[in-house]
């Protein structure tokens, strides 16, 4: 990974490193049960709990296993979600992608705009050949989002993850560099 955290820009968004100063803004959506419902985590109960999520973002960047951008609207600068890569495997030129967005920003095309820019960075700057998205079958909006970006559903991974006291089935979606 690059030493300086890359800043990405779109028409309406700045994607940047999330910092401890963003914990209060991030708490708004990470404490919302509807937002975290399909993320495999429990809703945060205090802004301090968000610091653990920010630390995870820093650790995956430092270790080279991923990069997670805070999604900010250009006009406010507040972090309203995140998007980025995790479980990156440079040897095989692949990574997973993940994202979440505050509920008040759902349905405005923001997640689509952020994901498109992150994918562009992954293919052009990280040299990825394949990007995967693991999505719970009940998360229809996330399925529609990746399908709009050109992802293909490859199959169902039964009891693939154990989170919040239960086994979760996940659809495996992927997009290849040549699909764009």
């Amino acid at each position: 990974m690059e030493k300086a955290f890359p800043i990405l820009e779109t028409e309406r968004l700045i994607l940047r490193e999330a910092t401890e100063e963003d914990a209060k803004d991030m708490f708004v959506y990470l404490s919302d049960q509807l937002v975290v419902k399909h993320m495999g985590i429990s809703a945060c109960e205090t802004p301090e709990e968000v610091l653990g999520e920010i630390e995870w973002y820093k650790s995956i960047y430092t270790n080279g296993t991923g990069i997670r951008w805070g999604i900010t609207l250009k006009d406010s600068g507040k972090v309203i979600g995140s998007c980025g890569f995790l479980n990156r495997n440079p040897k095989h030129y692949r990574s997973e992608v993940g994202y979440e967005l505050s509920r008040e920003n759902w349905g405005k095309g923001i997640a689509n705009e952020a994901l498109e820019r992150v994918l562009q960075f992954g293919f052009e700057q990280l040299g990825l050949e394949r990007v995967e998205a693991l999505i719970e079958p009940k998360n229809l909006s996330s399925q529609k989002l990746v399908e709009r970006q050109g992802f293909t559903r490859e199959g169902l991974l039964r009891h693939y993850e154990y989170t919040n006291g239960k086994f979760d089935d996940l659809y495996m979606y992927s997009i290849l560099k040549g699909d764009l």
Side-chain angles (χ1 to χ4, degrees):
M1 291 281 188
E2 301 174 14
K3 291 190 181 197
F5 195 96
I7 297 171
L8 308 179
E9 191 170 342
T10 70
E11 184 180 329
R12 299 180 291 171
L13 309 173
I14 299 287
L15 307 175
R16 63 166 175 81
E17 183 175 19
T19 66
E20 291 178 5
E21 291 77 32
D22 298 313
K24 187 176 176 184
D25 293 337
M26 293 171 68
F27 178 70
V28 171
Y29 62 87
L30 290 175
S31 65
D32 185 333
Q33 186 58 46
L34 286 177
V35 172
V36 302
K37 180 177 171 180
H38 299 293
M39 292 174 58
I41 63 172
S42 298
C44 293
E45 295 183 14
T46 67
E48 290 74 28
E49 286 181 55
V50 176
L51 296 176
E53 188 76 0
I54 293 169
E55 279 304 311
W56 177 70
Y57 294 176
K58 288 180 184 180
S59 73
I60 64 171
Y61 184 69
T62 301
N63 297 332
T65 59
I67 181 170
R68 192 79 167 206
W69 287 271
I71 300 170
T72 67
L73 294 171
K74 284 183 177 178
D75 60 358
S76 74
K78 288 185 177 182
V79 176
I80 58 166
S82 79
C83 186
F85 298 110
L86 61 152
N87 298 325
R88 181 173 174 240
N89 188 326
K91 178 182 175 184
H92 297 292
Y93 301 90
R94 73 171 178 250
S95 185
E96 291 176 36
V97 71
Y99 41 80
E100 77 278 336
L101 191 63
S102 60
R103 190 174 358 156
E104 60 270 14
N105 288 289
W106 289 358
K108 299 178 181 177
I110 292 170
N112 191 59
E113 192 172 323
L115 180 58
E116 181 177 20
R117 182 64 183 96
V118 165
L119 290 171
Q120 178 187 22
F121 181 88
F123 289 128
E124 293 177 2
Q125 304 301 314
L126 298 180
L128 296 175
E129 173 63 22
R130 173 186 171 92
V131 176
E132 302 169 344
L134 298 169
I135 302 172
E136 290 182 7
K138 292 181 180 178
N139 191 348
L140 299 178
S141 60
S142 189
Q143 291 174 51
K144 288 177 186 174
L145 171 64
V146 298
E147 288 168 1
R148 271 194 303 275
Q149 288 292 330
F151 281 72
T152 299
R153 184 190 303 175
E154 296 182 335
L156 180 68
L157 303 171
R158 299 180 315 140
H159 286 207
Y160 191 74
E161 288 183 342
Y162 184 78
T163 58
N164 296 324
K166 64 181 177 36
F167 289 99
D168 293 322
D169 294 342
L170 297 173
Y171 282 131
M172 169 64 81
Y173 280 85
S174 74
I175 188 168
L176 305 179
K177 186 176 186 176
D179 293 341
L180 299 178

